[in-house]
Amino acid sequence: MSSDERTLISVAFKNLVASKRTAWRTLVSVQGNAKYMLYTNSMNEYKTRLENMIFEQCNSIITLIQVNILKKKCTDEAKAFFTKLVADNQRYIAEMSVGDRHYKAIDEARQSYEQANLVPLQACSPIKLSISLNLSVFFYEVIKDMPKIGRAHV
């Protein structure tokens, strides 16, 4: 699979969940506002529906990649790229989930980012750099661990 083909797949997967993630973030940001208290039940219902849709779609993407790509022989670049894509979708689940689902997604995302980071690529490889960037986002957005952000490199 060429780099362009990988990018197209990645963009398609990201676009599948992007609008739902944006809607979820918007709901979370307005839920605490007193002027929207009248709509709390409706917002909570919709937020739950969004969480379930994001969870299902991310899990479908993860399964598709793991079964149809990573279980087959592929180049180191493809392996790192798609392992990072799995980690990104696990991070999306972790961002909006709570309880056991949240902690499971955190563990799986961390393991996937670490696996992607272990694939032997040149340090200046765009894939290697995107792994480091997304790992930093993971530590900042999900783990809320500022000291690890600076160490999230290869």
Side-chain angles (χ1 to χ4, degrees), residues 62-82:
I62 291 165
T63 301
L64 185 83
I65 293 169
Q66 289 174 332
V67 170
N68 296 310
I69 298 171
L70 293 175
K71 287 202 178 194
K72 298 178 179 176
K73 186 174 175 147
C74 55
T75 66
D76 284 344
E77 271 192 357
K79 182 177 181 180
F81 181 88
F82 285 109

Side-chain angles (χ1 to χ4, degrees), residues 7 10 16 45-46 81 101 111 133 135-136:
T7 300
S10 174
L16 181 65
E45 287 175 21
Y46 187 58
F81 181 88
R101 182 185 280 183
Q111 288 173 13
L133 174 64
L135 182 58
S136 294

Side-chain angles (χ1 to χ4, degrees), residues 105-136:
I106 285 175
D107 288 341
E108 290 174 351
R110 180 180 299 150
Q111 288 173 13
S112 293
Y113 281 125
E114 288 171 359
Q115 287 174 357
N117 224 0
L118 292 175
V119 176
L121 298 175
Q122 292 183 2
C124 61
S125 160
I127 295 170
K128 197 73 146 172
L129 295 172
S130 73
I131 293 166
S132 294
L133 174 64
N134 289 17
L135 182 58
S136 294

Side-chain angles (χ1 to χ4, degrees), residues 1-8 77 82:
M1 182 177 302
S2 73
S3 174
D4 288 341
E5 291 168 326
R6 287 193 307 263
T7 300
L8 286 173
E77 271 192 357
F82 285 109

Side-chain angles (χ1 to χ4, degrees), residues 46-62:
Y46 187 58
K47 185 176 154 222
T48 300
R49 281 196 355 222
L50 286 169
E51 289 167 352
N52 289 332
M53 284 190 286
I54 292 168
F55 179 75
E56 289 171 14
Q57 289 177 343
C58 287
N59 271 330
S60 293
I61 292 167
I62 291 165

